[in-house]
Amino acid sequence: GTRLRGAWALWRMCKAVRVDEAAAMKSVEYQAVRLGEPQLISEAVDRAARLSEPSAVERRVSEAYRDVGCILDDEQDNALLVDLMCSDCPIVGVSEGFTRVTGFSRDELTGRNCRILLHGVPEVAISKSVRKNLRDFCRMCHMPSLEKISEVTSLQPNARQDGSQFMNFFLVGRVTVRERDYLLSVQRSVGEGLFVKLSTSMLQEVTESTRSAYLRVRSRLLSEQADSRCASLYAQPWTSAGPIATS
């Protein structure tokens, strides 16, 4: 009913806005007030702006890793966990499978935005529509009044730590763990290089296998408790340069 109309209005505005994030939020808020949904958009604006100060983000990344992200440490599927509570959506969980596929260490990725995977990819090869769709999806996921939202899938060339490039298929969905919202992304490498074409049958197959892995990892995040083993792995304060050595 009313909430659905408000969510749809926000989505349309997010699609239409072509300015920076702060201006976009102001424009969306104005539109929501006109539509009689100021509370709905106010929640989204407050959440989007909640954690932007660097020291607050660093504390939040460290907490999120200890609370939830460490569950992915021994996960063999290619998965990332991203914190929606912070500006720029930092990575707070990295699976062993992801480090193996990309060559990045957990410390290199934690606290960084997923854009790190585009470093070294020529601008001409990057899909602007994929990036825009993901930004729109993230904005929608900031809405606490939106109880459910479907996952999204995309294809985008990425670069490994050594600079080699591969085509990455990924499925992204919102997951709420311990009353905090995250994005869970599960990926599949579908070929080497910048330009890889998938047949319809192959795309369907990789979509199904990735969704199956996503659901399994999501279930694990929702059911497992971050035990003392996880906490001890990342007990040190975290900074943008990685964990602070205590000795």
Side-chain angles (χ1 to χ4, degrees), residues 50-176:
R50 185 174 297 175
L51 288 176
S52 57
E53 199 275 323
S55 62
V57 172
E58 289 179 0
R59 287 193 299 271
R60 172 58 194 157
V61 169
S62 182
E63 292 170 1
Y65 174 83
R66 291 196 302 267
D67 289 346
V68 182
C70 61
I71 294 173
L72 295 181
D73 282 0
D74 62 354
E75 174 59 51
Q76 297 306 302
D77 261 309
N78 193 359
L80 291 176
L81 192 68
V82 171
D83 197 328
L84 279 171
M85 295 289 287
C86 300
S87 62
D88 210 29
C89 298
I91 296 168
V92 297
V94 182
S95 73
E96 181 179 338
F98 191 88
T99 64
R100 185 172 58 250
V101 168
T102 65
F104 286 101
S105 69
R106 187 168 289 110
D107 288 345
E108 287 177 301
L109 293 168
T110 303
R112 303 287 298 275
N113 182 276
C114 293
R115 287 189 303 273
I116 189 174
L117 298 172
L118 294 176
H119 293 175
V121 178
E123 191 73 20
V124 67
I126 298 173
S127 171
K128 304 299 189 296
S129 62
V130 166
R131 296 195 68 188
K132 183 178 184 303
N133 289 342
L134 288 173
R135 286 195 298 269
D136 292 345
F137 181 76
C138 288
R139 290 182 183 127
M140 287 291 291
C141 287
H142 272 113
M143 299 173 59
S145 299
L146 191 65
E147 295 181 0
K148 292 183 179 180
I149 185 169
S150 297
E151 299 85 19
V152 297
T153 59
S154 295
L155 272 171
Q156 185 77 284
N158 283 173
R160 300 183 179 91
Q161 199 273 348
D162 65 5
S164 61
Q165 297 147 346
F166 67 102
M167 185 61 69
N168 196 10
F169 176 90
F170 51 94
L171 185 148
V172 183
R174 186 176 74 170
V175 57
T176 302

